[in-house]
Amino acid sequence: MIKNVLEYLEQTVKRYSNKTAIRTAEKEVTFAELEAGAKKLASFILSKNPGRNKPIPVFLPKSAESIFAFLGVAYSGNFYVPIDITLPAERIEKILTVLEPSLIVSDAENAEKIKKISKAEVLLQEDCDKMEVKEEAIRGVLRRMIDTDPLYVLFTSGSTGMPKGVTISHRSVIDYIEWATAFFAFCEKDVLGNQAPFYFDNSILDIYTMLKTGATLVIIPESLFIFPVKLFRFMMENQVNSIFWVPSALSVVAMHKDMERSELPCLKKVLFCGEVMPTKTLNFWRKLYPNALFANLYGPTEITDVCSCYVVDREFEDDESLPIGFPCNNTDILVLKEDNQEVEAGEIGELCVRGTCLSLGYYGDSEKTAEVFVQNPLNQQYLEKIYKTGDLVKYNGRGELIYVCRKDFQIKHQGHRIELGEIETAVYSLEKIKQCAALYDEGKKQICLFCSVCDEMTEKEVFSELKKKLPQYMLPAKIRIEEGLPLNANGKIDRKLLKTYL
Ligand code: AMP
């Protein structure tokens, strides 16, 4: 049994040294080059005496170099934290406050931005090329590593305004990738078309399937996702045969009128995860690729991406919901009612997960961790954690899990996980704001903000202030300034009533 993901890379290098590991619009990288590049970076990091099991943020655009960096950080005995370079400085600062890193990996183009925010030493990817690989030092690091050591931290939206750093171990990723590669029979002949940003958990399947099986990972330029015809041309040129995308990306393609004529005969596997898949979109794709395998995967970042899966095996009407299926191998799902008892068929309860896939918790936040990683209430005999997802689900007559809704104010918008509370915290931090409520219009797929202000402030001003604080995808599409927001009997902002204003 392997104990760190680097063993995947080393085993694959032995078999497919000169095969293409990563292809982007600009370049190709073989497995041997990937290993060499990662080790050079690790040697660079080790020359700075970083210690062990420390966070090393990676502040790079999505590229082959970012994968070099992730693996280089892992080879140094530390864990990587991909940071979206387009985030506003204020949010990056919050993430770095949580991590307190002493080293950051970036490149010449992006280093200035991060240096303005952090006092950490910034290592430039470009400088690695000159490094000699310190093989002995790396072997020493690997000898001391255990599989419960963290591999990465991914930050997700936090309702109090502080992003939460989900910490994932090597063991959880290995457990996930063993299941995913066996279940979908991935092999070295496969070409995966990557859509997921590397700061989003769906990318874990793409990156580590490539490392384990010797498949090629094609990084699709983000800009192509608004031009479906060009997107398919790019996939065709690169012979992409498997994709694992968020439903929003699949829907953009389905809405395009010219798509019915697009061809990609080699497409064999269409996997999706991250939000509800509109059945209409699925039906469009199935018509386009009647012989491909389609699977609805479900899971949050806190359980390493996926804990249940449904391989589409029958026809669905456009208005029927698609099951999220059955638990993955070595994973158990409990659906618990408020009294912590398991539901009967048809009853709704919270989906809770048991297994090696569980995260090590939120980095530096034991309080938030303790709220959702709890002792299994059905077992008082020994230590056993479950993760409470906050997703409400039920079983259908076939024993398949069906996603119903969230039990809180978390939403999925364009595939991004957002706590409406985080938007509200950012709004309240503006000086002139008196009250505010962020709501999601499911029909129009828009974030709407209602607020009242204590001084002159226009919608435009609110928006431009928010731009400095929130990622692009969290910005409200509609802002309405009201005299005062309606209150319910408990004196709280009446969100139900506000929903009728949408
Ligand atoms: P993330 O941590 O960004 O992966 O988001 C996890 C959340 O996305 C889950 O808790 C669900 O609310 C939602 N989600 C993920 N996959 C699915 C799916 N297949 N169907 C419905 N909702 C999903």
Side-chain angles (χ1 to χ4, degrees), residues 184-439:
F184 295 111
F186 282 119
C187 70
E188 81 287 356
K189 295 196 181 75
D190 285 315
V191 182
L192 294 150
N194 160 267
Q195 169 269 323
F198 293 161
Y199 51 83
F200 179 47
D201 57 352
N202 278 7
S203 64
I204 298 303
L205 183 140
D206 293 344
I207 296 173
Y208 292 96
T209 296
M210 172 267 287
L211 284 189
K212 177 180 158 64
T213 63
T216 295
L217 180 67
V218 174
I219 300 179
I220 304 174
E222 201 188 331
S223 58
L224 292 187
F225 282 90
I226 43 172
F227 300 110
V229 176
K230 285 189 190 165
L231 170 68
F232 269 65
R233 199 175 304 141
F234 179 84
M235 291 206 287
M236 186 69 197
E237 280 161 14
N238 287 288
Q239 292 292 294
V240 168
N241 73 354
S242 307
I243 55 175
F244 180 40
W245 293 358
V246 279
S248 290
L250 294 165
S251 293
V252 171
V253 173
M255 279 184 301
H256 199 272
K257 61 179 180 356
D258 285 336
M259 282 323 290
E260 309 228 2
R261 283 181 277 119
S262 277
E263 279 183 27
L264 185 56
C266 50
L267 190 64
K268 295 284 182 302
K269 290 170 198 146
V270 180
L271 318 182
F272 42 91
C273 179
E275 61 189 341
V276 173
M277 168 60 129
T279 314
K280 205 167 136 200
T281 299
L282 173 72
N283 287 339
F284 174 91
W285 276 80
R286 286 184 83 187
K287 213 169 123 202
L288 217 53
Y289 298 103
N291 299 321
L293 172 141
F294 288 85
N296 185 18
L297 285 70
Y298 158 90
T301 313
E302 285 86 341
I303 55 83
T304 327
D305 197 22
V306 174
C307 57
S308 83
C309 169
Y310 169 66
V311 174
V312 180
D313 59 357
R314 57 185 189 271
E315 298 300 316
F316 287 87
E317 295 294 328
D318 281 354
D319 56 358
E320 260 183 284
S321 45
L322 202 62
I324 54 171
F326 303 97
C328 305
N329 187 37
N330 201 29
T331 300
D332 188 26
I333 288 177
L334 307 171
V335 183
L336 301 179
K337 292 184 285 194
E338 295 225 330
D339 63 1
N340 277 334
Q341 294 306 306
E342 286 189 87
V343 293
E344 304 286 333
E347 280 183 321
I348 293 175
E350 181 174 3
L351 191 153
C352 301
V353 189
R354 223 166 60 88
T356 303
C357 56
L358 255 63
S359 141
L360 302 171
Y362 300 118
Y363 191 79
D365 195 340
S366 48
E367 211 173 291
K368 281 249 150 11
T369 302
E371 281 170 22
V372 285
F373 293 91
V374 301
Q375 173 68 22
N376 179 356
L378 305 177
N379 173 13
Q380 305 304 332
Q381 280 66 44
Y382 54 88
L383 203 59
E384 182 190 36
K385 293 279 181 213
I386 58 167
Y387 171 64
K388 295 169 72 179
T389 62
D391 288 321
L392 297 179
V393 298
K394 62 181 180 189
Y395 291 103
N396 66 11
R398 298 167 184 258
E400 297 160 342
L401 283 161
I402 302 282
Y403 174 85
V404 178
C405 62
R406 289 289 304 173
K407 70 171 206 183
D408 53 17
F409 296 109
Q410 184 180 300
I411 59 155
K412 274 295 174 117
H413 174 55
Q414 295 166 354
H416 294 282
R417 169 170 158 179
I418 300 169
E419 292 283 355
L420 291 172
E422 180 166 356
I423 301 174
E424 291 172 3
T425 307
V427 179
Y428 274 123
S429 75
L430 308 181
E431 214 182 311
K432 295 177 186 168
I433 297 289
K434 236 175 14 185
Q435 293 167 299
C436 81
L439 301 181

